[in-house]
Amino acid sequence: MTINLSYCQHLDQADPLAACRDRFALPPGIVYLDGNSLGAMPRAMMQTMQQTLEQEWGGELVKAWNNAGWAQLSQQLGDRVGQLIGAAAGQVVVCDTTSTNLYKAIHAAFSLRPGRDVILTLEDSFPTDLYMIEGAISVSGNRYRCIKVAQDRLLDAIDEAVGVLLLSQVNYRSGELLPMQEITRAAQARGAVVIWDLCHSAGVLPIEVDACEVDFAVGCTYKYLNAGPGAPAYIYVAKRHCKTALQPLRGWWSHADQFAFEPGYRAAEDIRRFLCGTQPVLALKAIACSLDCFAGVSLQQLRDKSIELCQLFIALVEQECADFDIQIIGDHQRQGYGSQVSLRFEHGYALMQALIERGLIGDFRTPDIMRFGFAPLYIGFEDVFQAVQHLRCCLQLELWRESRFQTRQAVT
Ligand SMILES: *Cc1c(COP(=O)(O)O)cnc(C)c1O
């Protein structure tokens, strides 16, 4: 069967989520397949920001901490993010960055396993995860060590020395999805505490941190949650650990009685223990707005559509780009992948620059990986068709040879 434009348009007409695209402000003429790096802007964002500035900060000044509920935002938004990751209320706070929250989680996890000294992760974990592990080890005076293994060796590598296992649910490079429940169970059966990084999975697939009995999880809000560049991250701490795990960044917002202004530290005995200092309220308000875009949509619906988008992309690349030396990463069983398809091409950086100039936005990860993320809330099937036409055209014209596409920019 040949897949054509009218078939893709037909898929859009049959798509129950098609109307959700209107919740976002997307520039015309652009196919945006980089929601796995920076989500699109919700259409209501301008108004939310304007109201917050005029009425709350401008109108209420410092009173807004109470009158506009600023003081409770980290917890309230935490509960809302919790709904997207399968966490009951009271176990998630929105605050700081993913990197900072990783540091808190790593330290807290080790505090629960005093006799063990290894943190286990994968060789190709996201770099900030590896760096934060190194930092936590260095601050501990090298009491701990990190072991990085290839994925096929992971379960074998969990022995009695392993106190903490840190993994991304979806690999940022290949898009591969790890089985959360199976790995969490296996690690806990051997006595390890498990931390999941959800940056590339939250918002595009059902996640069940409570049901999987995950210990800790972290994630950002600027990818598939669409809260804007550098929006605060979140941290999930299973209820059973909230009173016992030690959080190293003992800011006043994590104190048991913040406004008692006691000279000594006493940790809050709930999820507030994982806060640190004052959060950027404007950015928190942006998260509230972006989470509204998920109203009336189930994660299973998003997952189903995401798999269909990815499968269509793969089928079209095979159909349209068979003559070119381009390789689809991984097998085509989308169940084992997140909402992203990665392609290998020797001149991937230059080709991506050419695609971006034509209006298809994806991104590049060294050495030769082009990533295409499919945010099912706002990407349609016709977008996928247009994307592959751009790809084939750039390959056919060998646009990647042009010198203006060779220079690497600061952000790839
Ligand atoms: C995007 C991403 C991060 C980002 O960390 P920040 O502190 O928000 O910059 C961390 N981990 C993974 C797996 C990511 O994909």
Coordinates of all heavy atoms in Angstrom, one line a residue, residues 161-232:
A161 N 25.8 -4.7 46.7 CA 26.5 -3.4 46.9 C 25.6 -2.2 46.4 O 25.8 -1.1 46.8 CB 27.8 -3.4 46.2
V162 N 24.7 -2.6 45.5 CA 23.9 -1.5 44.9 C 22.9 -0.9 45.8 O 21.9 -1.7 46.2 CB 23.3 -2.0 43.5 CG1 22.4 -0.9 43.0 CG2 24.4 -2.4 42.5
G163 N 23.0 0.3 46.2 CA 22.1 1.0 47.1 C 21.0 1.7 46.3 O 19.8 1.8 46.7
V164 N 21.4 2.3 45.1 CA 20.6 3.1 44.3 C 20.7 2.8 42.8 O 21.8 2.6 42.3 CB 21.0 4.6 44.5 CG1 20.0 5.5 43.8 CG2 21.0 5.0 46.0
L165 N 19.5 2.7 42.2 CA 19.5 2.5 40.7 C 18.8 3.8 40.1 O 17.7 4.2 40.6 CB 18.7 1.3 40.4 CG 18.4 1.0 38.9 CD1 19.7 0.7 38.2 CD2 17.5 -0.2 38.8
L166 N 19.5 4.4 39.2 CA 18.9 5.6 38.6 C 18.8 5.4 37.1 O 19.8 5.1 36.4 CB 19.8 6.8 38.8 CG 19.5 8.1 38.0 CD1 18.1 8.6 38.2 CD2 20.5 9.2 38.3
L167 N 17.6 5.5 36.5 CA 17.3 5.2 35.1 C 16.3 6.2 34.5 O 15.5 6.8 35.2 CB 16.7 3.8 35.0 CG 17.5 2.6 35.4 CD1 16.6 1.4 35.4 CD2 18.7 2.5 34.5
S168 N 16.5 6.5 33.2 CA 15.5 7.2 32.5 C 14.5 6.2 31.9 O 14.9 5.2 31.4 CB 16.1 8.0 31.3 OG 16.7 9.2 31.8
Q169 N 13.2 6.6 32.0 CA 12.2 5.7 31.5 C 12.3 5.6 30.0 O 12.2 4.5 29.4 CB 10.8 6.1 31.9 CG 9.8 5.0 31.6 CD 8.4 5.5 32.0 OE1 8.1 6.6 32.3 NE2 7.5 4.5 32.0
V170 N 12.6 6.7 29.3 CA 12.8 6.7 27.9 C 14.2 7.3 27.6 O 14.5 8.4 28.1 CB 11.7 7.6 27.2 CG1 12.0 7.8 25.7 CG2 10.3 6.9 27.3
N171 N 14.9 6.6 26.8 CA 16.3 7.0 26.5 C 16.2 8.2 25.6 O 15.5 8.2 24.5 CB 17.0 5.9 25.8 CG 18.4 6.2 25.4 OD1 18.7 7.1 24.5 ND2 19.4 5.6 26.1
Y172 N 16.9 9.3 25.9 CA 16.8 10.6 25.2 C 17.3 10.5 23.8 O 16.9 11.3 22.9 CB 17.5 11.7 26.0 CG 19.0 11.7 25.8 CD1 19.7 12.6 25.0 CD2 19.8 10.8 26.5 CE1 21.1 12.5 24.8 CE2 21.2 10.7 26.4 CZ 21.8 11.6 25.5 OH 23.2 11.6 25.4
R173 N 18.2 9.5 23.5 CA 18.8 9.5 22.2 C 18.0 8.5 21.3 O 17.6 8.9 20.2 CB 20.2 8.9 22.4 CG 21.3 9.7 21.6 CD 22.5 8.8 21.7 NE 23.3 9.1 22.8 CZ 24.4 9.9 22.8 NH1 24.8 10.4 21.6 NH2 25.1 10.1 23.8
S174 N 17.8 7.3 21.8 CA 17.2 6.3 20.9 C 15.7 6.3 21.0 O 15.0 5.8 20.2 CB 17.7 4.9 21.3 OG 17.2 4.6 22.6
G175 N 15.1 6.8 22.1 CA 13.7 6.8 22.3 C 13.2 5.5 23.0 O 12.0 5.3 23.2
E176 N 14.1 4.6 23.3 CA 13.7 3.3 23.9 C 13.1 3.5 25.2 O 13.5 4.3 26.0 CB 14.9 2.4 24.0 CG 14.5 1.0 24.2 CD 15.7 0.0 24.1 OE1 16.8 0.4 23.6 OE2 15.5 -1.2 24.5
L177 N 12.0 2.7 25.5 CA 11.2 2.7 26.7 C 11.6 1.5 27.6 O 11.5 0.4 27.2 CB 9.7 2.7 26.3 CG 8.7 2.6 27.4 CD1 8.6 3.8 28.2 CD2 7.3 2.3 26.8
L178 N 12.0 1.8 28.8 CA 12.3 0.7 29.7 C 11.1 0.2 30.5 O 10.2 1.1 30.8 CB 13.4 1.1 30.7 CG 14.8 1.5 30.1 CD1 15.8 1.8 31.3 CD2 15.3 0.4 29.2
P179 N 11.0 -1.1 30.8 CA 9.9 -1.6 31.6 C 10.0 -1.2 33.1 O 10.8 -1.8 33.8 CB 10.0 -3.1 31.4 CG 11.4 -3.4 31.0 CD 12.0 -2.1 30.4
M180 N 9.2 -0.2 33.5 CA 9.4 0.4 34.8 C 9.1 -0.6 35.9 O 9.9 -0.7 36.9 CB 8.5 1.6 34.9 CG 8.5 2.3 36.3 SD 7.4 3.7 36.3 CE 8.6 5.0 35.8
Q181 N 8.0 -1.3 35.8 CA 7.6 -2.2 36.8 C 8.6 -3.3 37.0 O 9.0 -3.6 38.2 CB 6.2 -2.7 36.5 CG 5.7 -3.6 37.7 CD 4.1 -3.6 37.7 OE1 3.5 -3.5 36.7 NE2 3.6 -3.6 38.9
E182 N 8.9 -3.9 35.9 CA 9.8 -5.1 36.0 C 11.2 -4.7 36.6 O 11.7 -5.4 37.5 CB 10.0 -5.6 34.6 CG 10.8 -6.8 34.4 CD 11.1 -7.1 32.9 OE1 10.3 -6.8 32.1 OE2 12.2 -7.6 32.7
I183 N 11.7 -3.6 36.2 CA 13.1 -3.2 36.7 C 13.0 -2.8 38.1 O 13.8 -3.1 38.9 CB 13.7 -2.1 35.8 CG1 13.9 -2.6 34.4 CG2 14.9 -1.6 36.4 CD1 14.4 -1.6 33.4
T184 N 11.9 -2.0 38.4 CA 11.8 -1.6 39.8 C 11.7 -2.7 40.8 O 12.4 -2.8 41.8 CB 10.5 -0.7 40.0 OG1 10.6 0.4 39.0 CG2 10.4 -0.1 41.4
R185 N 10.8 -3.7 40.4 CA 10.7 -4.9 41.3 C 12.0 -5.7 41.4 O 12.3 -6.1 42.5 CB 9.7 -5.8 40.6 CG 8.3 -5.4 40.9 CD 7.3 -6.6 40.8 NE 6.0 -6.1 41.1 CZ 4.9 -6.5 40.4 NH1 5.0 -7.4 39.4 NH2 3.7 -6.0 40.7
A186 N 12.7 -5.9 40.3 CA 13.9 -6.7 40.4 C 14.9 -6.0 41.3 O 15.6 -6.6 42.1 CB 14.5 -6.9 39.0
A187 N 15.0 -4.6 41.1 CA 16.0 -3.9 41.9 C 15.7 -3.9 43.4 O 16.5 -4.1 44.3 CB 16.1 -2.5 41.4
Q188 N 14.4 -3.7 43.7 CA 14.0 -3.6 45.1 C 14.1 -5.0 45.7 O 14.4 -5.1 46.9 CB 12.5 -3.1 45.2 CG 12.4 -1.6 44.9 CD 11.0 -1.1 44.8 OE1 10.1 -1.9 44.6 NE2 10.9 0.2 44.9
A189 N 13.9 -6.1 44.9 CA 14.0 -7.4 45.5 C 15.5 -7.7 45.9 O 15.7 -8.5 46.8 CB 13.6 -8.5 44.4
R190 N 16.4 -6.9 45.3 CA 17.8 -7.1 45.7 C 18.2 -6.0 46.7 O 19.4 -5.7 46.9 CB 18.7 -7.1 44.5 CG 18.4 -8.4 43.7 CD 19.1 -8.4 42.3 NE 18.3 -9.1 41.4 CZ 18.6 -9.3 40.1 NH1 19.7 -8.7 39.6 NH2 17.8 -9.9 39.3
G191 N 17.2 -5.2 47.2 CA 17.5 -4.2 48.2 C 17.9 -2.8 47.8 O 18.2 -2.0 48.6
A192 N 17.7 -2.6 46.5 CA 18.1 -1.2 46.0 C 16.9 -0.3 46.0 O 15.8 -0.7 46.0 CB 18.7 -1.3 44.6
V193 N 17.2 1.0 46.1 CA 16.2 2.1 46.0 C 16.2 2.6 44.6 O 17.3 2.7 44.0 CB 16.5 3.2 47.0 CG1 15.7 4.4 46.7 CG2 16.4 2.7 48.4
V194 N 15.0 2.8 44.0 CA 15.0 3.1 42.5 C 14.5 4.5 42.3 O 13.5 5.0 42.8 CB 14.1 2.1 41.8 CG1 14.2 2.3 40.3 CG2 14.5 0.7 42.1
I195 N 15.3 5.2 41.4 CA 14.9 6.6 41.0 C 14.7 6.6 39.5 O 15.6 6.1 38.7 CB 16.1 7.6 41.3 CG1 16.5 7.6 42.7 CG2 15.6 9.0 40.8 CD1 17.8 8.4 42.9
W196 N 13.6 7.1 39.1 CA 13.3 7.1 37.6 C 13.3 8.6 37.2 O 12.7 9.5 37.8 CB 11.9 6.5 37.3 CG 11.9 5.0 37.3 CD1 11.5 4.2 38.4 CD2 12.3 4.1 36.3 NE1 11.7 2.9 38.0 CE2 12.2 2.8 36.8 CE3 12.8 4.3 35.0 CZ2 12.5 1.7 36.0 CZ3 13.1 3.2 34.2 CH2 12.9 1.9 34.7
D197 N 13.9 8.9 36.0 CA 13.9 10.2 35.4 C 12.8 10.1 34.3 O 12.9 9.3 33.4 CB 15.3 10.5 34.8 CG 15.3 11.9 34.2 OD1 14.3 12.4 33.7 OD2 16.4 12.4 34.2
L198 N 11.8 10.9 34.4 CA 10.6 10.8 33.6 C 10.6 11.9 32.5 O 9.5 12.2 31.8 CB 9.3 10.9 34.4 CG 9.2 9.9 35.6 CD1 7.9 10.2 36.4 CD2 9.3 8.5 35.1
C199 N 11.7 12.6 32.3 CA 11.7 13.8 31.4 C 11.1 13.5 30.0 O 10.4 14.3 29.5 CB 13.1 14.3 31.2 SG 13.7 15.4 32.6
H200 N 11.4 12.3 29.5 CA 11.0 12.0 28.1 C 9.8 11.2 28.1 O 9.4 10.7 27.0 CB 12.1 11.4 27.3 CG 13.1 12.4 26.8 ND1 12.9 13.0 25.6 CD2 14.3 12.9 27.3 CE1 13.9 13.9 25.4 NE2 14.8 13.8 26.4
S201 N 9.1 10.9 29.2 CA 7.9 10.1 29.1 C 6.7 10.8 29.7 O 5.6 10.5 29.2 CB 8.2 8.8 29.9 OG 8.8 9.0 31.2
A202 N 6.8 11.7 30.6 CA 5.6 12.3 31.2 C 4.9 13.1 30.2 O 5.5 13.9 29.5 CB 6.1 13.2 32.4
G203 N 3.6 12.9 30.1 CA 2.7 13.7 29.2 C 2.5 13.0 27.9 O 1.6 13.4 27.1
V204 N 3.1 11.8 27.6 CA 2.9 11.1 26.3 C 2.5 9.7 26.5 O 2.1 9.0 25.6 CB 4.0 11.2 25.3 CG1 4.0 12.6 24.7 CG2 5.3 10.9 25.9
L205 N 2.6 9.2 27.8 CA 2.2 7.8 28.0 C 1.8 7.6 29.4 O 2.2 8.4 30.3 CB 3.4 6.8 27.6 CG 4.8 7.1 28.1 CD1 5.0 6.3 29.4 CD2 5.8 6.6 27.1
P206 N 1.0 6.6 29.7 CA 0.5 6.4 31.1 C 1.8 5.9 31.9 O 2.5 5.1 31.5 CB -0.5 5.2 31.0 CG -0.8 5.1 29.5 CD 0.4 5.6 28.8
I207 N 1.9 6.6 33.1 CA 3.0 6.2 34.0 C 2.3 5.9 35.3 O 1.4 6.6 35.7 CB 4.0 7.4 34.2 CG1 4.6 7.8 32.8 CG2 5.1 7.0 35.1 CD1 5.5 9.0 32.9
E208 N 2.8 4.9 36.0 CA 2.2 4.5 37.2 C 3.2 4.3 38.3 O 3.6 3.2 38.7 CB 1.5 3.1 37.0 CG 0.3 3.1 36.0 CD -0.9 3.9 36.6 OE1 -1.0 4.2 37.8 OE2 -1.8 4.2 35.7
V209 N 3.7 5.5 38.8 CA 4.8 5.4 39.8 C 4.3 4.7 41.1 O 5.0 4.0 41.7 CB 5.4 6.8 40.1 CG1 6.3 7.2 39.0 CG2 4.4 7.8 40.5
D210 N 3.0 5.0 41.5 CA 2.5 4.4 42.8 C 2.4 2.9 42.6 O 2.8 2.1 43.3 CB 1.2 5.0 43.2 CG 1.3 6.3 43.9 OD1 2.4 6.6 44.3 OD2 0.3 7.0 44.1
A211 N 1.7 2.5 41.5 CA 1.4 1.1 41.2 C 2.7 0.3 41.0 O 2.8 -0.9 41.4 CB 0.5 0.9 40.0
C212 N 3.7 0.9 40.5 CA 5.0 0.3 40.3 C 5.9 0.3 41.5 O 7.0 -0.2 41.6 CB 5.8 0.9 39.1 SG 5.0 0.6 37.5
E213 N 5.4 1.0 42.6 CA 6.1 1.2 43.9 C 7.5 1.8 43.7 O 8.4 1.4 44.4 CB 6.1 -0.2 44.6 CG 4.7 -0.6 45.0 CD 4.7 -1.9 45.8 OE1 5.7 -2.0 46.7 OE2 3.8 -2.7 45.6
V214 N 7.5 2.7 42.8 CA 8.8 3.5 42.6 C 9.1 4.2 43.8 O 8.2 4.6 44.6 CB 8.6 4.5 41.4 CG1 9.6 5.5 41.3 CG2 8.4 3.7 40.1
D215 N 10.4 4.4 44.1 CA 10.8 5.1 45.3 C 10.9 6.6 45.1 O 10.3 7.4 45.9 CB 12.2 4.6 45.8 CG 12.2 3.2 46.2 OD1 11.6 2.9 47.3 OD2 12.7 2.3 45.4
F216 N 11.6 7.0 44.1 CA 11.7 8.4 43.7 C 11.6 8.6 42.2 O 11.9 7.7 41.5 CB 13.1 9.0 44.1 CG 13.4 8.9 45.6 CD1 14.0 7.8 46.1 CD2 13.1 10.0 46.4 CE1 14.3 7.7 47.5 CE2 13.4 9.9 47.8 CZ 13.9 8.8 48.3
A217 N 11.1 9.8 41.8 CA 11.1 10.1 40.4 C 11.3 11.6 40.2 O 10.9 12.4 41.1 CB 9.8 9.6 39.7
V218 N 11.9 12.0 39.1 CA 12.1 13.4 38.8 C 11.7 13.6 37.3 O 11.6 12.6 36.6 CB 13.5 13.8 39.0 CG1 14.0 13.7 40.4 CG2 14.5 13.1 38.1
G219 N 11.4 14.8 37.0 CA 11.2 15.1 35.6 C 11.0 16.6 35.4 O 10.9 17.4 36.3
C220 N 11.1 17.0 34.1 CA 10.9 18.4 33.8 C 9.5 18.7 33.3 O 8.8 17.8 33.0 CB 12.0 18.9 32.8 SG 11.7 18.1 31.2
T221 N 9.2 20.0 33.1 CA 7.9 20.4 32.7 C 7.9 21.1 31.3 O 6.9 21.5 30.8 CB 7.1 21.3 33.7 OG1 7.9 22.5 33.8 CG2 7.0 20.6 35.0
Y222 N 9.1 21.3 30.8 CA 9.2 22.1 29.5 C 9.2 21.2 28.3 O 9.2 21.7 27.2 CB 10.4 23.0 29.6 CG 11.7 22.3 29.9 CD1 12.4 21.6 29.0 CD2 12.3 22.5 31.2 CE1 13.6 21.0 29.2 CE2 13.5 21.9 31.5 CZ 14.2 21.1 30.5 OH 15.3 20.6 30.8
K223 N 9.2 19.9 28.4 CA 9.2 19.0 27.2 C 7.7 18.7 26.9 O 7.0 19.6 26.5 CB 10.0 17.8 27.4 CG 11.5 18.2 27.5 CD 12.5 17.0 27.9 CE 13.9 17.6 28.0 NZ 14.8 16.6 28.8
Y224 N 7.3 17.5 27.1 CA 5.9 17.2 26.7 C 4.8 17.8 27.6 O 3.6 17.7 27.3 CB 5.7 15.7 26.6 CG 6.5 15.0 25.6 CD1 7.4 14.0 25.9 CD2 6.3 15.3 24.2 CE1 8.1 13.3 24.9 CE2 7.0 14.6 23.2 CZ 7.9 13.7 23.5 OH 8.6 13.0 22.6
L225 N 5.2 18.5 28.7 CA 4.2 19.2 29.5 C 4.1 20.6 29.1 O 3.2 21.3 29.6 CB 4.6 19.1 31.0 CG 4.7 17.6 31.6 CD1 4.8 17.6 33.1 CD2 3.5 16.8 31.2
N226 N 4.9 21.1 28.2 CA 4.7 22.4 27.5 C 4.6 23.7 28.4 O 3.9 24.6 28.1 CB 3.3 22.4 26.7 CG 3.2 21.1 25.9 OD1 4.1 20.8 25.1 ND2 2.2 20.3 26.1
A227 N 5.4 23.7 29.5 CA 5.3 24.8 30.4 C 6.3 25.9 30.1 O 6.3 27.0 30.8 CB 5.5 24.3 31.8
G228 N 7.1 25.8 29.1 CA 8.0 26.9 28.7 C 9.4 26.7 29.0 O 9.7 25.9 30.0
P229 N 10.3 27.4 28.3 CA 11.8 27.2 28.5 C 12.2 27.3 30.0 O 12.0 28.4 30.6 CB 12.4 28.2 27.6 CG 11.3 29.2 27.3 CD 10.0 28.5 27.4
G230 N 12.8 26.3 30.5 CA 13.4 26.4 31.9 C 12.3 26.4 33.0 O 12.6 26.7 34.1
A231 N 11.1 26.0 32.6 CA 10.0 26.0 33.7 C 10.5 25.0 34.8 O 11.2 24.0 34.5 CB 8.7 25.5 33.1
P232 N 10.1 25.2 36.0 CA 10.5 24.3 37.1 C 10.2 22.9 36.9 O 9.2 22.5 36.2 CB 9.8 24.9 38.3 CG 9.5 26.3 38.0 CD 9.2 26.3 36.5

